[in-house]
Amino acid sequence: MEFMHSEEQLAFADAIDDIVTDLGGTQLARSWAAGDTAPGLALWAQFAELGLTGLRIAEADGGMGGSLADLAVVFERFGYHAVPGPYVESLALLPQLVSDADRAAIAGGAVATAAVAGTHPHLLDAHVAALQFSVTAGALATATAGEALESIASFRKLSRATAGADAADVDPDHVNRAIDEATLANAAMLIGAGERLLHEAVEYAKMREQFGKAIGEYQSLKHQLADVRIALSFARPLVWQAALALESGAATAGRDVSAAKVRAAAAAQLAARVSLQVHGAIGYTAEHDLSLWLTWVPALVGAWGTPAQHRARIADSILAPVGGAA
């Protein structure tokens, strides 16, 4: 079992870092939150040129044919940079469910979004999505966006979805698989967000002084930062294990995805608490970039199944008869 990034994956992650940084870094999320989606869509176009929007689409269909391990690498970088937009829906969920024509459009850079009954019930960023869908346990329909809803994260634009009358049957197993891929991407984003929160906290602890020395020199703070490091380092292998299990069709794949989501969420939440404590009052201000991740992490934790839902799935799998793991 291999948990190391390949040279190609590391190079791909570096390319994402460079593109996001060159196009504005955290300003992308801030502009998106303010209603100016042009910089964020320019980033989307750059990713399309890189082939990223076809990451989980077969090469024969015009995509990149990337693996789920590749998906985890990409979405961790998205989480690190707080990249705005419905990437989980477009890159992870919908390629498994939509028609050939829509799949080709997504690979070519079309922005798509979807509401999924039970785990992700609202449309994310429908105002920029050319393709909008409603997904239920065994059907896919086009959707239209209705009432706008508030998200705790300013750069997530949510709206209620109304399903069209064109619902088409989809194999429920395909739907479950697609939701698991989206949940895996969500877990990887939580790891990335947690890493960024830890990075910001460490850098601030080196710079901020109290009683004549940097606050990072105090043992109590070192221990808290180390706890975050440990939590993230323990959660990441679960994300990779889930990617491998899902890729291979292992009987425990669903349980593994849920375990990854639970641990990634807990690690990111711990990172958020500690980073806020390290920054003190400045961490509460909307002007500080920390606020992007402090508000985003709770939103990601609640998306694609709550921790309670995933813990229940894990429990059901463990208690299931031998050979019946979900």
Side-chain angles (χ1 to χ4, degrees), residues 15-309:
I16 292 172
D17 291 344
D18 290 343
I19 291 172
V20 175
T21 301
D22 288 347
L23 288 183
T26 55
Q27 279 305 120
L28 294 163
R30 292 194 174 281
S31 296
W32 198 275
D36 179 9
T37 58
L41 293 177
L43 176 68
W44 195 290
Q46 287 263 331
F47 284 155
E49 286 187 18
L50 189 66
L52 204 59
T53 50
L55 177 67
R56 287 294 293 155
I57 296 173
E59 293 183 36
D61 294 329
M64 182 180 290
S67 68
L68 284 172
D70 297 333
L71 183 85
V73 170
V74 167
F75 276 88
E76 182 172 331
R77 301 323 298 163
F78 287 175
Y80 189 86
H81 293 292
V83 170
Y87 285 98
V88 172
E89 293 82 346
S90 296
L91 275 61
L93 175 80
L94 290 170
Q96 317 299 318
L97 304 175
V98 297
S99 67
D100 291 344
D102 288 337
R103 189 177 300 111
I106 291 171
V111 180
T113 190
V116 180
T119 61
H120 192 67
H122 306 303
L123 294 171
L124 175 64
D125 297 320
H127 61 306
V128 298
L131 303 171
Q132 302 176 19
F133 299 95
S134 172
V135 180
T136 59
L140 176 77
T142 58
T144 54
E147 177 190 4
L149 303 169
E150 286 196 15
S151 170
I152 188 172
S154 59
F155 59 96
R156 283 171 56 89
K157 306 299 182 185
L158 299 176
S159 55
R160 296 191 191 281
T162 300
D166 57 350
D169 292 339
V170 180
D171 186 334
D173 289 341
H174 288 176
V175 174
N176 290 335
R177 162 81 183 211
I179 293 173
D180 276 340
E181 291 202 20
T183 305
L184 177 70
N186 173 280
M189 281 208 298
L190 281 163
I191 296 292
E195 289 288 354
R196 184 59 177 265
L197 285 161
L198 177 60
H199 171 78
E200 296 292 335
V202 169
E203 292 304 307
Y204 189 76
K206 292 178 183 175
M207 179 269 293
R208 179 77 166 91
E209 291 189 357
Q210 281 187 344
F211 306 111
K213 63 180 183 180
I215 60 174
E217 295 182 31
Y218 292 99
Q219 283 296 320
S220 60
L221 200 57
K222 288 181 179 178
H223 290 165
Q224 291 186 69
L225 293 170
D227 286 344
V228 176
R229 176 70 276 149
I230 292 169
L232 290 167
S233 296
F234 277 23
R236 182 179 286 106
L238 292 185
V239 173
W240 279 75
Q241 163 61 22
L244 294 172
L246 200 56
E247 191 90 67
S248 66
T252 60
R255 182 175 73 196
D256 292 339
V257 169
S258 287
K261 173 68 189 292
V262 168
R263 288 303 297 265
Q269 287 174 308
L270 177 62
R273 287 196 300 272
V274 171
S275 189
L276 179 58
Q277 185 174 356
V278 169
H279 281 81
I282 192 174
Y284 287 102
T285 61
E287 290 78 10
H288 196 286
D289 279 347
L290 195 69
S291 65
L292 295 174
W293 290 276
L294 289 177
T295 55
W296 196 32
V297 164
L300 292 177
V301 169
W304 303 103
T306 65
Q309 289 174 311

